[in-house]
Amino acid sequence: MRFESNGDSRKEVHARVRINSELGVRQFSHLNFDFNHSYEQIEIPQVRITHKSGGTAEILPSAITDQPNPAVASAPTYQDIRVKSVRILGLEPADILDYRVVTSTTHPPLAPDFWLDHNFDRTGIVSQENFELDLPSSRQPRVRVDPASPQPVIQNSGDGDAARISYRWSRTAAPEQASKDLSSAREPDIVVSTFTGWQQVADCLKPLLQPSEKSVREVSGKTSELIRGAKNTDARIEAIYNFVSQKIRTVDLPLGATGFKTRAVADVLSSGYGTQEDKYLLFAALVNSVAGPPRAGLISTTAADLRDWTPRPDAFDQLLTMSGYTAANFWLDLNLEVAPFGMIPSQIRGRHPFVIGPGVGNTWPAIDDALPFPARQTVRIDATLNVEGALDAKVKYSMRGDNELLLRVAFHQAPRDKWKEVAQLLALSDGFRGNIISVSASDPTATKLPFTVEYEITQPKFVDWSKKPVRVPALLPQLGVPELPSKPESGAATTPIDLGIPLDVDTRVTLRVPPGTSVEVPTGTVVDRDYATFASRYNTQSGIISASRHINFLHRKVPSDRAADYAAFLHAVQTDQAQHFTLSRTDTTPSPGATKAKPGSPKP
């Protein structure tokens, strides 16, 4: 990899791969290389197969295609975001694949600054990997090398403006290192950047993420249209947020794929689609006259804290919006398209985004780990068990909170003919087995209301009546109760037990059993604590079983000195959920109302 002082670069990759198995054949049947045609060019001067028999085959130029990235197939404005692919036929185990790829970058958007990160290959058994880096000394780039990585051989050459510094690494991986996971929560093995600090990154990106006065004027009519009838500033911001979030389709490109170059705000509005950066810019232009300019929050969804990382723009993968008109700012996610107003995905709440924009005081504030509404989930199940042992159940979910957002996104992104597959995964996650017959869901964009999902599931051989007696579970979703943390090492401080966001979960089932079935139900449980409550009820009457479990997490944490008390609470819940109904069939069908009943009573 060679960088010039003006930010241009040239990257040459030479890979020699021995194919060990059919899995390797499939993995290397296509080679894909992403690039931005507006400032990058890719050449593939060599693709050669050396067969185990000793013969060689060159891949013809006709096997190389250059097409827009699939993510921009319906977004013609971004056709410069492309993929060059090589289709490789004739590979077999024990063959050697040899290819070279050259990427040339000219006048990149953030030049003359440049940056790079590199991880040594851990996707297979690497016999040897050589990495060479050639940098202009005049730019005084920062080079960070992970202490666990091989240390480079460093060489200086030239004088004055022509002075350069080169680094050469050579790494041989032991076989046991091939399966080692590279955590994305830490910095890559090698990082290079000409940015001297995060403030310089902010100064570089701020002009690109700030709408011009002309843009604000151009969309002022749309602003007036959107806020018409809104009674206060919060309602006006919400109206603008709902429009940009839901009506402007998010083009699923990585953050920075366009070099942080943005389109004209009016073009984004008229086309109805945009990247993360474009949607943010449109929102900023629309909301400017209502609540002042917002701020952009750049964040990593994998690394919790980037404050001590080497400053560079590609450390981030998501753009959030900080809005508000007083000190009480709030965060928005414009890109999921169906996130309720003020709701941020759970995996990034509590993290520190890098904030860019006007009037920024704290550039690394923490995102409040809270929801804009109480979290609640209800599940209602209406089930029937027939004389053949088949179970048919109708299940209805209604939810607010983190699970709501997950399901909104899943049903919004899946075509309707795939909804059964989504419902099947939902059923499996809650312990329900069987085939999904039908499914329906509320409008994912109706974010002011709880999200509801209904499906019908059938299991032909749920019970075997030849077994006496038959024991069946309560047909209720398993409640997710946090486990006790592992014991700390000797001398280490104990940590509180994390219960997560306060959440109220109420589950109920009605199960009809065939005539002539006697039923024994378990005993209910009631456990009250100041941090959580749990109650279950089990009853049967006239061939109908009813059961309910209700858990309410009231606090976010349980102090570590109450671990024994929480362990007792957890044990009570787990013991209750392990209980079963006992069913038995008689040879003679009893008259109506003769079904044996044994109502359960709560234990203290």
Side-chain angles (χ1 to χ4, degrees):
M1 186 77 185
R2 178 186 171 98
F3 283 99
E4 306 300 338
S5 58
N6 65 353
D8 290 355
S9 64
R10 178 179 174 87
K11 178 181 179 181
E12 299 184 23
V13 175
H14 179 198
R16 185 173 174 85
V17 184
R18 184 182 190 277
I19 306 299
N20 289 329
S21 64
E22 288 295 337
L23 179 61
V25 171
R26 291 193 296 272
Q27 179 180 348
F28 286 91
S29 62
H30 278 84
L31 301 177
N32 296 316
F33 306 98
D34 296 313
F35 69 107
N36 188 324
H37 183 64
S38 64
Y39 58 89
E40 292 178 315
Q41 295 292 329
I42 285 187
E43 300 173 37
I44 306 176
Q46 175 183 305
V47 182
R48 176 188 297 138
I49 302 173
T50 302
H51 295 294
K52 57 185 177 182
S53 61
T56 62
E58 299 280 350
I59 301 301
L60 298 176
S62 60
I64 301 176
T65 59
D66 182 342
Q67 296 180 331
N69 187 301
V72 304
S74 57
T77 306
Y78 305 109
Q79 297 297 294
D80 278 340
I81 311 300
R82 307 186 71 79
V83 179
K84 186 161 281 193
S85 300
V86 185
R87 186 185 181 192
I88 302 176
L89 301 176
L91 270 181
E92 295 180 356
D95 285 352
I96 301 293
L97 174 64
D98 201 314
Y99 65 88
R100 296 176 183 268
V101 182
V102 179
T103 305
S104 302
T105 302
T106 306
H107 304 304
L110 300 184
D113 285 303
F114 59 81
W115 61 92
L116 168 144
D117 60 69
H118 176 78
N119 282 312
F120 290 108
D121 197 316
R122 292 174 176 84
T123 60
I125 300 173
V126 181
S127 59
Q128 185 168 8
E129 180 176 0
N130 299 316
F131 182 62
E132 300 182 12
L133 186 59
D134 190 344
L135 304 172
S137 299
S138 60
R139 295 303 312 277
Q140 299 181 330
R142 300 174 60 176
V143 180
R144 179 200 169 276
V145 182
D146 189 290
S149 298
Q151 294 307 298
V153 175
I154 304 175
Q155 183 177 354
N156 293 281
S157 62
D159 298 309
D161 292 341
R164 302 193 67 83
I165 182 169
S166 65
Y167 300 79
R168 289 178 173 83
W169 288 263
S170 183
R171 174 180 178 269
T172 301
E176 61 270 15
Q177 292 180 295
S179 60
K180 177 183 174 182
D181 289 331
L182 180 63
S183 173
S184 55
R186 68 172 182 84
E187 282 206 81
D189 294 331
I190 301 167
V191 180
V192 177
S193 178
T194 57
F195 290 98
T196 57
W198 285 112
Q199 185 57 52
Q200 186 184 352
V201 176
D203 293 341
C204 183
L205 295 180
K206 182 178 176 180
L208 304 176
L209 296 174
Q210 188 170 335
S212 64
E213 293 183 4
K214 178 183 177 182
S215 297
V216 174
R217 290 195 302 270
E218 287 177 341
V219 296
S220 60
K222 189 64 179 182
T223 299
S224 300
E225 174 190 331
L226 292 173
I227 66 175
R228 189 175 297 122
K231 297 181 179 180
N232 53 48
T233 303
D234 282 348
R236 296 181 187 110
I237 297 175
E238 183 174 1
I240 295 171
Y241 164 80
N242 286 337
F243 172 77
V244 177
S245 173
Q246 298 176 10
K247 303 302 182 183
I248 305 299
R249 177 171 56 86
T250 303
V251 178
D252 189 20
L253 287 174
L255 183 65
T258 62
F260 290 94
K261 292 179 64 176
T262 53
R263 298 159 57 203
V265 166
D267 291 342
V268 178
L269 179 62
S270 62
S271 68
Y273 62 80
T275 61
Q276 297 183 57
E277 300 95 308
D278 286 337
K279 290 186 67 169
Y280 168 79
L281 210 61
L282 174 59
F283 176 85
L286 290 168
V287 83
N288 188 283
S289 60
V290 173
R295 276 75 69 200
L298 304 179
I299 197 165
S300 168
T301 57
T302 54
D305 196 339
L306 301 177
R307 287 175 286 184
D308 294 331
W309 282 35
T310 304
R312 64 189 196 281
D314 70 340
F316 310 100
D317 57 19
Q318 188 165 343
L319 191 156
L320 301 177
T321 302
M322 177 191 274
S323 188
Y325 50 95
T326 65
N329 294 305
F330 47 85
W331 290 96
L332 304 172
D333 188 336
L334 296 165
N335 307 306
L336 293 178
E337 300 180 352
V338 292
F341 181 66
M343 187 171 186
I344 301 297
S346 60
Q347 67 267 27
I348 55 178
R349 293 200 301 267
R351 295 193 175 181
H352 295 268
F354 180 52
V355 179
I356 298 172
V360 174
N362 180 8
T363 56
W364 295 97
I367 298 176
D368 188 24
D369 190 8
L371 294 173
F373 38 65
R376 180 176 178 80
Q377 182 170 317
T378 63
V379 185
R380 299 292 181 262
I381 302 167
D382 185 4
T384 300
L385 182 62
N386 67 21
V387 293
E388 284 80 29
L391 179 75
D392 185 83
K394 295 180 180 178
V395 185
K396 180 177 181 179
Y397 293 80
S398 177
M399 55 191 67
R400 276 304 222 180
D402 291 325
N403 288 336
E404 167 201 8
L405 183 57
L406 291 174
L407 287 178
R408 280 190 191 276
V409 172
F411 279 91
H412 174 64
Q413 293 182 346
R416 284 187 175 269
D417 59 356
K418 299 293 184 181
W419 277 16
K420 284 186 180 181
E421 296 177 16
V422 178
Q424 191 79 62
L425 293 174
L426 174 60
L428 289 172
S429 70
D430 277 335
F432 298 143
R433 301 293 185 267
N435 299 317
I436 301 295
I437 302 302
S438 62
V439 59
S440 63
S442 58
D443 182 0
T445 64
T447 55
K448 285 184 173 293
L449 301 173
F451 187 64
T452 61
V453 178
E454 297 183 60
Y455 63 80
E456 184 176 357
I457 188 170
T458 183
Q459 190 170 345
K461 297 180 180 180
F462 180 69
V463 300
D464 181 357
W465 291 116
S466 66
K467 295 181 179 180
K468 299 187 181 298
V470 172
R471 302 180 73 244
V472 299
L475 295 179
L476 291 170
Q478 290 291 303
L479 301 174
V481 185
E483 296 284 347
L484 283 166
S486 57
K487 291 184 178 180
E489 297 180 3
S490 177
T494 56
T495 57
I497 301 162
D498 189 0
L499 300 182
I501 292 288
L503 173 65
D504 190 334
V505 182
D506 184 59
T507 63
R508 302 183 186 185
V509 62
T510 299
L511 173 62
R512 296 171 181 80
V513 297
T517 305
S518 61
V519 181
E520 292 183 11
V521 298
T523 304
T525 303
V526 174
V527 188
D528 283 314
R529 298 289 191 272
D530 59 336
Y531 50 81
T533 64
F534 173 78
S536 64
R537 300 285 188 274
Y538 307 101
N539 291 283
T540 181
Q541 186 175 8
S542 302
I544 299 177
I545 300 170
S546 60
S548 66
R549 291 183 183 135
H550 181 197
I551 193 166
N552 192 4
F553 297 101
L554 302 169
H555 292 169
R556 298 181 65 102
K557 296 183 183 296
V558 179
S560 57
D561 59 1
R562 298 186 63 187
D565 180 77
Y566 180 74
F569 177 86
L570 176 63
H571 178 73
V573 175
Q574 291 176 335
T575 300
D576 183 272
Q577 293 195 115
Q579 297 187 110
H580 287 72
F581 299 122
T582 301
L583 312 180
S584 58
R585 298 263 303 143
T586 59
D587 293 332
T588 305
T589 302
S591 58
T595 303
K596 181 179 179 181
K598 185 180 179 181
S601 57
K603 60 186 178 184

